Amino acid sequence: MARRRARTRGQLVTAGRSLVAERGVSGLRVQEITERAGVALGSFYNHFGSKDDLVATIAAETMAELVASAVHGPDDPDTADPGTAREDPAVTAARVVRRVVRLPLVDPGFARLLVHLNHADTPVNGSMAPYARRLLVHGIAAGRFRSPDPESTVTHVVGGAVAMMRRTLAGERGEDDAVTGLDPEALHVAVMLQTLGLDLDDALGVAAGAQRED
Amino acid sequence: MARRRARTRGQLVTAGRSLVAERGVSGLRVQEITERAGVALGSFYNHFGSKDDLVATIAAETMAELVASAVHGPDDPDTADPGTAREDPAVTAARVVRRVVRLPLVDPGFARLLVHLNHADTPVNGSMAPYARRLLVHGIAAGRFRSPDPESTVTHVVGGAVAMMRRTLAGERGEDDAVTGLDPEALHVAVMLQTLGLDLDDALGVAAGAQRED
């Protein structure tokens, strides 16, 4: 019974995710989701309190997959936790944030969903903040990051990433830097690393490394 | 004739501003604005392309006043330009950003308007970015700030400030730091100064100075 319940929930998430990818969040209807999932309309509310609840779940699960693949590579998502990675926390942070701010280029539908979530003042930044917080605390403990207040730093870094995504989605992506060869997303990563306390040259070097990994 | 035109425009801005302060942007109607301004409904469109256009104007003008008072004090708004201030650019930036992130505490109606503007993907961050850009360029020229790319830094700083305002408006304001005595807005200012290239101790000192100015 628990397995059937989990399967239904999974079908709803998958159906919701494909509908969101096709045409965004604003026109999404619960009935469409249950039809595509092949489940009864009423059963939706056994799993989710509202449509927004499902959308938040989609965002959180997709972000979790993205962070997992950025932290340890796509092969061992189960162990993905930024707080357990052995590499330089700045390198991890650069890779994660680079993937996030590249979303408008590789998956504009999902990027729009994240930006929309941020709009709606639903658990603000709820889908990104937990990962950012773990990475930050790990990097501070490792002596690599410095922050006057982790909560403020997380707010700033996530808010900056969302603003960068919005700028790209609005068609206002900048150009590669002529001197360093860094693309706009790598330049954003370098700024983010400054926020975490790295000096500019260090930040540029780590951001360039993340760009080379693509 | 030009004077009468400017007066009508000013009446529309004043009426719109008071209506927004009373009950926010979402329920605003052009007819209400013209009624309160005491002008004909049709004349609205001689001055503004749309309701959103008026709202963006209100935000830009109110932000301009806020920046002016933060840069040179309230007495000489005409000369206010962060690029001409003689004081440490970090001190100026700290004061401006502190005023912005304190808006949810001192003027929640206007703070909601700014956050809403950001929502609507209207000229993204259009009401804050120009001031941030001037201040940044001035501070880089003065050797006080460091940035891999001014546009990315502006996006990051403004996005961070909007996220901080949204957090406060959502009732998620943190507590004063027990060690430094800095309030949540000062802690945000310190993080922002790290983004501009200051090291943590320097950032904390400048942020504390801005807090003492209140």
Side-chain angles (χ1 to χ4, degrees):
Chain A
M1 193 61 192
R3 186 179 298 178
R4 184 176 157 196
R5 190 176 157 76
R7 196 181 61 200
T8 302
R9 187 177 184 284
Q11 285 168 324
L12 288 166
V13 169
T14 302
R17 198 189 286 200
S18 66
L19 283 165
V20 165
E22 283 167 29
R23 41 180 207 270
V25 166
S26 57
L28 201 63
R29 299 274 170 274
V30 169
Q31 191 177 342
E32 281 179 311
I33 299 166
T34 52
E35 276 172 11
R36 182 164 299 191
V39 306
L41 178 63
S43 81
F44 181 89
Y45 296 99
N46 295 333
H47 297 273
F48 300 100
S50 66
K51 189 188 74 178
D52 286 346
D53 189 13
L54 171 67
V55 170
T57 300
I58 293 171
E61 294 189 1
T62 312
M63 278 301 292
E65 288 165 21
L66 183 143
V67 172
S69 71
V71 172
H72 285 276
D75 292 334
D76 58 345
D78 289 344
T79 60
D81 181 344
T84 62
R86 268 186 228 114
E87 71 180 351
D88 176 2
V91 169
T92 311
R95 192 186 303 121
V96 172
V97 169
R98 181 167 175 80
R99 298 235 181 145
V100 170
V101 297
R102 290 190 80 233
L103 277 172
L105 305 176
V106 300
D107 189 351
F110 181 56
R112 265 190 213 97
L113 185 153
L114 286 178
V115 166
H116 172 95
L117 270 188
N118 190 265
H119 280 189
D121 287 338
T122 42
V124 181
N125 309 318
S127 60
M128 284 180 270
Y131 305 103
R133 199 172 291 121
R134 287 214 298 266
L135 239 174
L136 177 65
V137 169
H138 172 62
I140 291 171
R144 184 61 166 134
F145 300 151
R146 300 195 74 192
S147 165
D149 174 54
E151 211 52 43
S152 297
T153 297
V154 166
T155 301
H156 205 263
V157 166
V158 174
V162 170
M164 178 68 186
M165 281 195 278
R166 194 169 286 147
R167 193 178 124 193
T168 306
L169 287 170
E172 294 164 9
R173 187 171 181 255
E175 300 186 356
D176 291 6
D177 183 70
V179 177
T180 58
L182 295 184
D183 65 25
E185 290 71 32
L187 293 168
H188 175 87
V189 166
V191 172
M192 182 274 299
L193 291 170
Q194 284 187 286
T195 302
L196 299 180
L198 274 66
D199 73 32
L200 179 59
D201 293 334
D202 193 2
L204 285 170
V206 173
Q211 180 174 321
R212 277 193 300 271
E213 279 185 24
D214 285 348
Chain B
M1 194 59 191
R3 184 179 300 177
R4 186 176 155 196
R5 188 175 158 77
R7 195 182 62 203
T8 302
R9 187 178 184 282
Q11 285 168 323
L12 287 165
V13 170
T14 302
R17 196 188 290 198
S18 66
L19 282 165
V20 165
E22 283 167 29
R23 43 181 204 272
V25 166
S26 57
L28 201 63
R29 300 274 169 277
V30 170
Q31 190 177 344
E32 281 181 310
I33 299 166
T34 52
E35 276 173 10
R36 182 164 300 191
V39 307
L41 179 62
S43 80
F44 181 89
Y45 297 98
N46 296 333
H47 298 272
F48 300 100
S50 66
K51 188 188 75 179
D52 286 346
D53 188 15
L54 171 67
V55 171
T57 300
I58 292 170
E61 293 190 1
T62 312
M63 278 300 291
E65 288 165 22
L66 182 144
V67 172
S69 70
V71 172
H72 285 276
D75 293 334
D76 58 347
D78 290 344
T79 60
D81 180 345
T84 61
R86 268 186 229 115
E87 73 180 350
D88 176 2
V91 169
T92 311
R95 192 185 304 121
V96 172
V97 169
R98 182 168 175 79
R99 298 235 181 144
V100 170
V101 296
R102 289 190 80 234
L103 276 172
L105 305 176
V106 300
D107 189 350
F110 181 56
R112 266 190 211 97
L113 185 153
L114 286 177
V115 167
H116 172 97
L117 270 189
N118 190 265
H119 280 190
D121 286 339
T122 42
V124 181
N125 309 318
S127 61
M128 281 180 273
Y131 304 103
R133 198 173 291 120
R134 287 215 297 267
L135 239 174
L136 177 65
V137 169
H138 172 62
I140 291 170
R144 184 61 166 136
F145 299 151
R146 300 194 74 193
S147 165
D149 174 54
E151 211 52 43
S152 297
T153 297
V154 166
T155 300
H156 205 264
V157 166
V158 174
V162 169
M164 178 68 186
M165 280 195 278
R166 193 169 288 147
R167 194 178 123 193
T168 305
L169 287 169
E172 295 163 7
R173 186 171 181 256
E175 299 187 355
D176 290 8
D177 183 71
V179 177
T180 60
L182 294 184
D183 65 25
E185 290 71 32
L187 293 168
H188 175 88
V189 165
V191 173
M192 182 274 300
L193 291 169
Q194 284 186 285
T195 302
L196 299 180
L198 273 66
D199 72 32
L200 179 59
D201 293 333
D202 192 1
L204 285 170
V206 173
Q211 180 173 320
R212 277 194 301 272
E213 278 185 25
D214 284 351

